[in-house]
Structure formats: structure tokens, C-alpha cells
Amino acid sequence: EAGVAQSPRYKIIEKRQSVAFWCNPISGHATLYWYQQILGQGPKLLIQFQNNGVVDDSQLPKDRFSAERLKGVDSTLKIQPAKLEDSAVYLCASSLTTAPTYNEQFFGPGTRLTVL
Amino acid sequence: AQSVTQPDIHITVSEGASLELRCNYSYGATPYLFWYVQSPGQGLQLLLKYFSGDTLVQGIKGFEAEFKRSQSSFNLRKPSVHWSDAAEYFCAANDYKLSFGAGTTVTVRA
């Protein structure tokens, strides 16, 4: 079974530029998550989708970050414009459901973003 | 506020020695608890999880964890460390969303 796919793996941009990350979850997984992992910290949830609806985006900086999950499968996370403090690894994860009892999340390899 | 704390930022252990990583949580009720491992350039891999029942949980790669309600702890252990265990380890808790500790980096020396 294929895992969670993410691209690109690495991205370097200058501040004020825009960038987009793509995620393809495990087939059949209804729930998709985007996390931001700053160096030296644990991952922090940015947004959670259930199918193509947003469940939780309370920690998403909505003035510059946006995410969508059209058709309830692939997802794109965008940053526009990027700031230096956005340098981080962006992890995508998916799970079958949102029920905590079965909420095993499977993580992709991440996209490492460097903002200069 | 709800939180997960990993007191040790970095641990160095000799190959073949035992390893214990500490994790404390602060939640109103006992959340679901997890340990993940992250190797360089890799995503997070689930080592084990605790939902309820037996307080000693067995995981993959020879790891186990013990849940202690009285201490609000969920410490990870391995009896004999291999060089391939060098990685970053994250404790996480889930009540309605998954929250991670800051991680512990494990270095294995020959």
C-alpha cells in the first residue's frame, strides 16, 4: 500500500514570494492534516480536513496561508507571501477517520521550506 | 492548558545499553498517547500507542512504553539500543487533536 506522498521535498524561496505544497493521502483515508514543524519543535497542526471540508484551522495563519482539498483527495497548502519565520518542514498526514480511538495518522516525508 | 512535555532535549547512549525517554502530559482527562520516531529526512513513524487497558504497551522495533496515571507519564523504553535507533522521538497526546512534545534527539555511540 502506498504511503502519503508529498512534493516537492525541498523548496528554497525568498521572503515575500509564494509557494505551494502538494499532498496525496493514502487511498481511502477521509481525513487529511497539514502540520508545520519548526526546527527543534514538535509538529503543530495547521489544518485538518474531513473529506473536502475543514474540521479545524484554528492555528492556520489565514492572512498568508491557505489550503484546499478539492474532491476530498489531494490537498494543496499555499503560503503567500512567505516570511522568514515560515522556514520549517511541512508534514502531511492522513487517517481513516477523525474518531480518536482509530485516529492513527500516517505521515508523509515532508517538504522542507527555507525562506531567505 | 493542555500540553505534552519531553524533559530531555538530547540523550546519548552506547550501543547495547538501555534507553528511556520521558514524557509527561497535562490534560484534564487521560488522552490517547503515542510515541513517534522521525529519522533524518523521513516522516513520522508510529512506534506504539496507548488507549486504555494494560499500562505496559509493546510497540515496533523492540520498544515499549509504560503509562502511569499517578505521574501523568508515558515513558518509552528499549532494553538494548542499536545504532539504527539514532533518531528524534516524539511523544504525542490526542483528545480531539494530536499535540506533540518538542522531541528528544537520541544519539547512539559505538
Side-chain angles (χ1 to χ4, degrees), chain B residues 69-98:
Chain B
R69 186 188 304 275
S70 61
Q71 298 178 19
S72 297
S73 69
F74 187 56
N75 294 348
L76 182 72
R77 299 194 293 250
K78 186 169 185 178
S80 178
V81 168
H82 187 263
W83 63 266
S84 60
D85 294 321
E88 190 156 21
Y89 293 80
F90 292 94
C91 182
N94 191 333
D95 51 359
Y96 70 97
K97 70 178 180 181
L98 195 60

Side-chain angles (χ1 to χ4, degrees), chain A residues 18-41:
Chain A
S18 62
V19 64
F21 313 126
W22 173 82
C23 173
N24 181 241
I26 292 173
S27 177
H29 280 195
T31 309
L32 185 146
Y33 314 79
W34 283 103
Y35 289 85
Q36 180 192 57
Q37 184 178 14
I38 294 172
L39 186 65
Q41 300 180 19

Side-chain angles (χ1 to χ4, degrees), chain A residues 26-88:
Chain A
I26 292 173
S27 177
H29 280 195
T31 309
L32 185 146
Y33 314 79
W34 283 103
Y35 289 85
Q36 180 192 57
Q37 184 178 14
I38 294 172
L39 186 65
Q41 300 180 19
K44 180 185 79 172
L45 180 68
L46 290 177
I47 188 167
Q48 176 182 338
F49 292 94
Q50 174 75 8
N51 295 310
N52 61 350
V54 175
V55 173
D56 182 353
D57 64 356
S58 58
Q59 299 199 81
L60 187 74
K62 298 181 187 63
D63 58 333
R64 298 183 300 105
F65 286 64
S66 65
E68 60 182 9
R69 191 183 184 198
L70 300 177
K71 302 180 182 178
V73 182
D74 293 6
S75 177
T76 302
L77 177 69
K78 297 179 181 177
I79 307 175
Q80 181 179 10
K83 293 185 175 181
L84 296 177
E85 58 261 36
D86 298 332
S87 294

Side-chain angles (χ1 to χ4, degrees), chain B:
Chain B
Q2 297 171 329
S3 65
V4 177
T5 302
Q6 294 180 247
D8 305 304
I9 296 173
H10 191 192
I11 286 180
T12 299
V13 61
S14 298
E15 191 168 16
S18 63
L19 173 69
E20 181 167 13
L21 304 181
R22 297 184 291 164
C23 173
N24 295 96
Y25 63 91
S26 176
Y27 280 71
T30 301
Y32 300 114
L33 296 165
F34 306 83
W35 275 99
Y36 285 85
V37 62
Q38 186 176 37
S39 298
Q42 304 295 314
L44 293 160
Q45 181 182 22
L46 180 66
L47 286 175
L48 47 79
K49 56 184 181 281
Y50 173 77
F51 291 160
S52 64
D54 194 347
T55 57
L56 188 62
V57 180
Q58 300 298 319
I60 62 171
K61 302 185 178 187
F63 285 92
E64 66 179 25
E66 185 172 14
F67 169 69
K68 292 185 177 179
R69 186 188 304 275
S70 61
Q71 298 178 19
S72 297
S73 69
F74 187 56
N75 294 348
L76 182 72
R77 299 194 293 250
K78 186 169 185 178
S80 178
V81 168
H82 187 263
W83 63 266
S84 60
D85 294 321
E88 190 156 21
Y89 293 80
F90 292 94
C91 182
N94 191 333
D95 51 359
Y96 70 97
K97 70 178 180 181
L98 195 60
S99 297
F100 290 84
T104 299
T105 300
V106 173
T107 298
V108 181
R109 61 182 174 217

